[in-house]
Amino acid sequence: MAFTNEQLERYSRHIILKEVGAKGQKKLLNAKVLIIGAGGLGAPVAMYLAAAGIGTIGIADADEVDLSNLQRQIIHATKDVGKPKVESAKETMEAMNPDVTVKTYHTFVTSENIMDIIKDYDFIIDGTDNFPAKFLINDACVMAKKPFSHAGIIRFQGQLMTYVPGEGPCYRCVFKNPPPKDAVPTCKQAGVIGAMGGVIGSLQAMEAIKYILGKGDLLTGYLLTYDALKMEFRKIKLPSNTHNCAVCGDHPTITELIDYEQAECDGVHL
Ligand SMILES: [Zn+2]
């Protein structure tokens, strides 16, 4: 596949990088990334991946755009209120870059549909807002041997980690099980500073791009935390022993996907 003149100009700042080059840009154009959640995290991830020329971007979300989303979900505009988030996100991405094919999934991911949704993608972004979805995505990605980026944000704090099959711990290695219902406040209850989605979501996009290029060190085996009030990033080394994990360990006890109970709007809302 040869680049058009327009593509050479569009991606010139990538192509000039020795870590990307024409070869790397072609990898990006041939890549398929799935974003689960078109909210505070998914919005910047989708915009940076579209701008970068990721050829196929899937986006899954069951919600419609709400006025209270716009303080942080920058892929949606005031005119989009009431529209499915996946449709609004698709319009923004396609307007940004005609090279990108956007596939929308206007649904919650569940144990019934997630394996079918993730199967065609090279890398998965967890941009969801609740613990049941985060554990479901983790377990599905471990079982399907798919790399993914986990992230969560609340108030002035954010965190992320990257799972690559066989190269480090999964989300369940670290967090074991979802916290009890109502033990952790939602962003609706606790609030979140809008730019936090931009900081952490951009880091998730960076992980996806590095994975596709095969360049640099991924956040495997580490949890990165960000405290915006202290302006402090901490890179915490995670235990490397995954043998006893219930899903990615040597003798997994979780061999089927679980739909954990979730009250409406429960969990860390992004
Ligand atoms: Zn594990």
Side-chain angles (χ1 to χ4, degrees), residues 170 173 245 248:
C170 77
C173 285
C245 176
C248 81

Side-chain angles (χ1 to χ4, degrees), residues 131-201:
F131 290 106
K134 292 188 180 304
F135 279 88
L136 178 68
I137 292 167
N138 179 74
D139 295 353
C141 286
V142 169
M143 290 175 192
K145 296 188 168 56
K146 297 280 184 184
F148 78 99
S149 165
H150 152 82
I153 55 174
I154 195 165
R155 301 191 182 101
F156 286 85
Q157 295 180 328
Q159 68 177 40
L160 76 157
M161 64 177 280
T162 301
Y163 168 76
V164 177
E167 293 192 17
C170 77
Y171 180 68
R172 199 183 275 280
C173 285
V174 184
F175 296 102
K176 312 288 183 213
N177 287 296
K181 233 173 41 161
D182 304 326
V184 178
T186 66
C187 280
K188 197 172 175 182
Q189 296 158 343
V192 62
I193 197 80
M196 183 57 73
V199 174
I200 303 297

